[in-house]
Amino acid sequence: MQTWVPFVPESASTLSWKVDALYFFLSGVTIFFTLLISGVLIFFVLKYRRRSLHEVPRPVAGSHKLETLWSVIPFLIAMTMFAWGAQLYFEQFRSPQNAVEVYVVGKQWMWKIQHTTGQREINQLHVPVGRKVKLIMTSEDVIHDFFIPAFRIKTDVLPGRYTSQWFEATKPGTYHLFCAEYCGMNHSGMIGSVIVMEPRDFDNWLSGNTNQQSPAVAGQQLFQTLGCVSCHGAAGEGGRGPALAGLFGSRVSLASGQTVTADEGYLRESIVNPQGKLVTGFGPIMPTFQGQVTEDQLVQLVAFIKSLQGQSSQPAGAGTGAAVPSPSMQAAPIK
Ligand code: CUA
């Protein structure tokens, strides 16, 4: 049983020692100057104390040399903190391309996690050691915050959009997972664990429950049942909506003249608010799916569209052979 309070939490990711190094530097600078200033203060108080009742101190003139020195040195120290912190922030903010993706949906008061292979977990996250993992996160209700102290990562999980963070675990074990944003009555109970496993154990764990549908496959079915396929179906078919194959990650020209990258956030927005970022050459005819699909289902639709990478010659929805518009969609007004 550990009776002392550790200075930093356990260190278990490639990022943690870098965060710790910066933290030690900041603490070191703080401690150094606290001691220096209080030491000098006490020394001067004693040295220049009034020794007799009628003593008049010598007038003191300024010193440009001294003033320059105590401006330049703190400036350099502050800029070091800024550059170091910014560099670390960007390293953590930019997810690597080759990361394994995991979807996280926060809700009062639990974490719902789904792997791209279909495994679902609640308040638990199983990950392999030594592989980069990217979390794509959103909330069903209020603002939460996904915090794994041992990995030194912490990012807000927001309703209505995706945020992401990544890590590479370095040590097998079980680590705390917290919600770090006050989100209502049971905020303190919105906790869980991150289980870091050896890659082989992890692969066993992944294949242990294989009867769960992957988000991409579930998304493909939704794509059919919601009738998306009638407009976004086979290339050229209907032509009412943009083709989706090969869309993810590409640059999209909007009717407004802007260009955006088709990332997860853009795809999500285009489903719940199709008119928000209308693609050049298409009319504002898509109905909103706000309220008709849950965050889990949005994740599935996005996963499906992402899965259409590298098969741009294939029509979206291929494989099911059911590129037939549903009756409800046929009845929907086109103009
Ligand atoms: Cu979720 Cu606090």
Side-chain angles (χ1 to χ4, degrees), residues 12-235:
S13 81
T14 51
L15 185 75
S16 31
W17 70 268
K18 297 177 190 173
V19 174
D20 290 353
L22 177 60
Y23 181 58
F24 288 139
F25 174 72
L26 296 177
S27 306
V29 168
T30 308
I31 291 168
F32 174 77
F33 280 101
T34 305
L35 293 179
L36 179 72
I37 291 169
S38 24
V40 168
L41 184 78
I42 293 167
F43 174 74
F44 284 167
V45 160
L46 294 176
K47 182 163 194 279
Y48 296 109
R49 69 184 185 276
R50 203 173 208 191
R51 285 160 207 270
S52 73
L53 209 55
H54 306 291
E55 187 181 350
V56 179
R58 219 159 21 93
V60 180
S63 160
H64 288 302
K65 215 189 259 176
L66 206 56
E67 282 175 27
T68 309
L69 204 66
W70 73 45
S71 302
V72 170
I73 291 176
F75 175 75
L76 291 178
I77 293 174
M79 284 300 114
T80 305
M81 290 173 177
F82 166 71
W84 190 346
Q87 182 267 327
L88 202 54
Y89 175 81
F90 283 116
E91 180 179 337
Q92 206 240 312
F93 186 79
R94 295 202 187 106
S95 304
Q97 291 289 319
N98 54 349
V100 179
E101 296 187 342
V102 177
Y103 294 99
V104 175
V105 178
K107 66 175 274 194
Q108 287 169 321
W109 288 276
M110 64 167 84
W111 295 109
K112 298 193 289 184
I113 287 159
Q114 187 169 27
H115 298 259
T116 46
T117 44
Q119 279 73 10
R120 287 179 177 282
E121 314 186 62
I122 302 261
N123 294 339
Q124 279 201 330
L125 170 61
H126 286 76
V127 290
V129 70
R131 283 190 211 159
K132 294 180 173 67
V133 178
K134 177 184 181 183
L135 307 174
I136 299 168
M137 312 180 295
T138 189
S139 166
E140 260 177 42
D141 36 48
V142 299
I143 300 174
H144 303 278
D145 190 301
F146 200 89
F147 179 32
I148 308 173
F151 296 173
R152 312 289 189 272
I153 59 165
K154 175 175 169 296
T155 300
D156 272 3
V157 177
L158 308 169
R161 69 159 114 162
Y162 291 117
T163 54
S164 69
Q165 57 181 345
W166 74 278
F167 59 84
E168 182 182 331
T170 52
K171 219 165 53 171
T174 302
Y175 306 99
H176 286 297
L177 157 63
F178 295 121
C179 177
E181 182 70 53
Y182 181 70
C183 56
M185 193 174 66
N186 292 333
H187 155 72
S188 62
M190 196 167 165
I191 54 176
S193 30
V194 181
I195 297 118
V196 178
M197 309 166 94
E198 292 293 350
R200 182 187 297 182
D201 296 337
F202 177 73
D203 291 336
N204 283 339
W205 178 84
L206 263 193
S207 54
N209 30 8
T210 46
N211 50 359
Q212 299 188 51
Q213 215 173 26
S214 79
V217 171
Q220 185 173 29
Q221 289 179 1
L222 267 174
F223 196 77
Q224 302 288 334
T225 53
L226 292 171
C228 316
V229 70
S230 62
C231 293
H232 296 285

